[in-house]
Amino acid sequence: MMNGFFNWIFFCTAFLLTVLQKTQAQTNTSTLEDTFSYNASKLGKVQFRFSALTFVRNNEYFNNIADGYTLFGYYLNPKVSYQPHEKVSLELGAFARKEFGTKGFKELQPTFTLQIKQNNWRFLFGNIEGNINHRMIEPMMSFERLVSNPLEHGVQVKYQKISRLKKTNTDDETYFDAWLDWQRSTSPGQTNQEYFWQGMSFYSPAVEVAGFKLKALAQSSVYHMGGQNIQSLQPVRTLINTAVGVRVQKDFLTNQSLVADNYVVNYFESPLRGSAYYLNGYWQHPKFQVGVSYWFGHYFSSPMGNDLFQSYSRKFKYDEYYEPYRSILILRLVKDWKVIDGLNVSLRVEPHYDVQNGKFEHSEGLYVKYQLH
């Protein structure tokens, strides 16, 4: 099994590198993130904005922790925007999500966002910039939420600042995101619990040390299920996850980098506890990105995280199953194309080896995102 795994890694790497030699690309996930810019020339004017994503994601999983399935469809979010002030923006729109092979829309909702900008800070109320925009690690927030749970509702505070590193010609981004996603409400006498998710993601300014760029990384997540004076037999639960890490980056040649992101991750839900190590190494090239990740978890659980990293099964009809240890080696092959301004394509191929169970599995995804501002 292990020999077959490494043969497959070699084949995927060789194939992707052959394809990529004649194409242009970005080297991170920013092409799939939501972007917003204040435009002083649009003050007092009504603008039409539009966001759409077409996706196909295939998960070939054969373990007892995560189900295998395919997601294939699109979502649309046309919006009308108005800036009454240079620091204030209002957006009103409609969101529709369609999964192929089903009748009608999977999701159909109105959207509204009030946004206030102060220097490098932004404050959002209503529909916030969710899923991959939080820049969380996969064990704590699955990349798949981009297509399965694209909308988040609540309040958000974001800080983003681009600055030039001293004595270098490279830019560095400081990033902070704190949010509250209110997923389900309840009221006294009701039988359903309220669900909400609050989190924080932080990337510190980089420091140059002996030719290496160092950056501190910190993330936290709190998921609560409960409510007061409700008639529910379900227990009140609060699940807490934290991750602290460091990024080490070495730039070389022309716009190429070797990056290592390493985390210590924790889980707490009284009286349960879990922990993990999450190690990542990437080669960032102007045309592609190749990475290797290793996950070693012990009784770990995260409600928003990718199913593969959990110790407690989420597979259909395996509710009581768990694995105290999860050990996974992942190869990540990423290719992004910028077709025109606002239109981006992202290809992701992620074979992995389940060390504990001796299983080779894989997932692939193709995402086409369009944003009109």
Side-chain angles (χ1 to χ4, degrees):
M1 177 64 73
M2 183 63 79
N3 289 335
F5 172 68
F6 285 114
N7 288 338
W8 181 257
I9 287 179
F10 176 79
F11 170 77
C12 288
T13 303
F15 173 78
L16 192 64
L17 293 182
T18 300
V19 172
L20 299 181
Q21 289 305 309
K22 298 181 180 180
T23 55
Q24 299 295 325
Q26 304 299 314
T27 58
N28 54 50
T29 61
S30 61
T31 56
L32 296 178
E33 294 180 8
D34 295 323
T35 58
F36 183 88
S37 60
Y38 283 79
N39 190 337
S41 67
K42 300 297 184 179
L43 288 178
K45 298 179 182 179
V46 176
Q47 306 169 67
F48 176 74
R49 298 188 174 185
F50 182 76
S51 178
L53 180 75
T54 300
F55 58 85
V56 55
R57 179 181 173 94
N58 179 55
N59 297 332
E60 294 292 333
Y61 301 154
F62 311 102
N63 56 71
N64 295 329
I65 294 291
D67 276 309
Y69 51 81
T70 300
L71 298 174
F72 197 4
Y74 64 85
Y75 66 68
L76 311 171
N77 187 199
K79 295 171 282 189
V80 174
S81 175
Y82 179 71
Q83 286 183 230
H85 187 274
E86 62 181 9
K87 296 182 179 180
V88 179
S89 171
L90 301 169
E91 284 189 345
L92 178 65
F95 179 87
R97 178 162 64 102
K98 170 68 176 180
E99 288 189 8
F100 299 154
T102 63
K103 294 182 179 180
F105 287 102
K106 185 80 171 182
E107 189 175 4
L108 190 60
Q109 293 191 48
T111 62
F112 173 77
T113 302
L114 166 63
Q115 188 167 184
I116 301 172
K117 184 178 186 296
Q118 181 64 39
N119 297 324
N120 295 307
W121 292 90
R122 289 190 294 135
F123 305 86
L124 291 81
F125 306 88
N127 289 102
I128 63 176
E129 297 174 355
N131 52 75
I132 64 170
N133 297 279
H134 297 311
R135 302 185 184 179
M136 301 279 281
I137 58 174
E138 278 233 49
M140 289 176 57
M141 197 216 71
S142 175
F143 177 89
E144 196 172 291
R145 288 182 63 83
L146 172 67
V147 298
S148 62
N149 300 87
L151 287 186
E152 294 181 13
H153 316 264
V155 61
Q156 184 175 32
V157 178
K158 297 191 75 169
Y159 177 88
Q160 292 174 272
K161 181 180 180 180
I162 304 295
S163 57
R164 182 61 59 90
L165 285 177
K166 295 181 179 180
K167 300 180 181 180
T168 71
N169 294 319
T170 58
D171 291 332
D172 176 63
E173 181 183 31
T174 304
Y175 180 86
F176 173 81
D177 182 8
W179 70 92
L180 173 63
D181 173 28
W182 201 270
Q183 298 182 348
R184 190 171 78 174
S185 65
T186 189
S187 58
Q190 298 296 309
T191 58
N192 61 288
Q193 292 181 314
E194 66 183 13
Y195 296 169
F196 65 80
W197 177 41
Q198 62 186 63
M200 182 277 295
S201 179
F202 172 67
Y203 291 65
S204 77
V207 177
E208 186 90 11
V209 178
F212 290 85
K213 290 189 287 188
L214 307 180
K215 184 183 287 284
L217 313 169
Q219 300 177 2
S220 66
S221 170
V222 178
Y223 192 78
H224 179 74
M225 296 174 282
Q228 294 185 340
N229 298 323
I230 61 175
Q231 303 181 67
S232 174
L233 299 179
Q234 299 297 318
V236 175
R237 300 181 62 190
T238 301
L239 296 83
I240 302 173
N241 294 108
T242 61
V244 292
V246 62
R247 172 174 296 170
V248 181
Q249 180 173 333
K250 177 65 175 178
D251 299 329
F252 63 99
L253 298 179
T254 304
N255 298 322
Q256 297 189 48
S257 302
L258 292 176
V259 183
D261 281 4
N262 300 316
Y263 295 85
V264 175
V265 193
N266 288 286
Y267 155 68
F268 174 77
E269 181 190 6
S270 182
L272 304 176
R273 293 178 181 271
S275 61
Y277 296 100
Y278 189 44
L279 311 179
N280 301 271
Y282 294 91
W283 172 26
Q284 294 182 336
H285 188 278
K287 296 183 179 181
F288 55 86
Q289 179 171 304
V290 178
V292 177
S293 299
Y294 178 68
W295 169 262
F296 183 78
H298 179 232
Y299 285 108
F300 181 81
S301 179
S302 177
M304 299 294 106
N306 187 314
D307 294 352
L308 285 174
F309 298 92
Q310 315 304 312
S311 287
Y312 302 92
S313 178
R314 296 179 181 173
K315 189 171 183 175
F316 180 62
K317 291 187 176 181
Y318 280 78
D319 295 344
E320 303 300 322
Y321 182 82
Y322 69 93
E323 295 180 5
Y325 295 93
R326 292 284 290 163
S327 180
I328 307 172
L329 181 63
I330 307 168
L331 175 66
R332 302 185 188 275
L333 307 172
V334 179
K335 167 63 177 171
D336 292 329
W337 293 267
K338 179 180 179 181
V339 182
I340 59 174
D341 287 343
L343 179 59
N344 296 284
V345 180
S346 183
L347 170 67
R348 292 174 170 266
V349 179
E350 297 178 322
H352 71 267
Y353 184 72
D354 184 337
V355 179
Q356 294 295 117
N357 297 301
K359 291 182 180 293
F360 167 70
E361 302 168 320
H362 55 95
S363 67
E364 303 81 30
L366 181 65
Y367 310 87
V368 182
K369 182 156 189 175
Y370 179 67
Q371 291 189 92
L372 173 66
H373 295 292

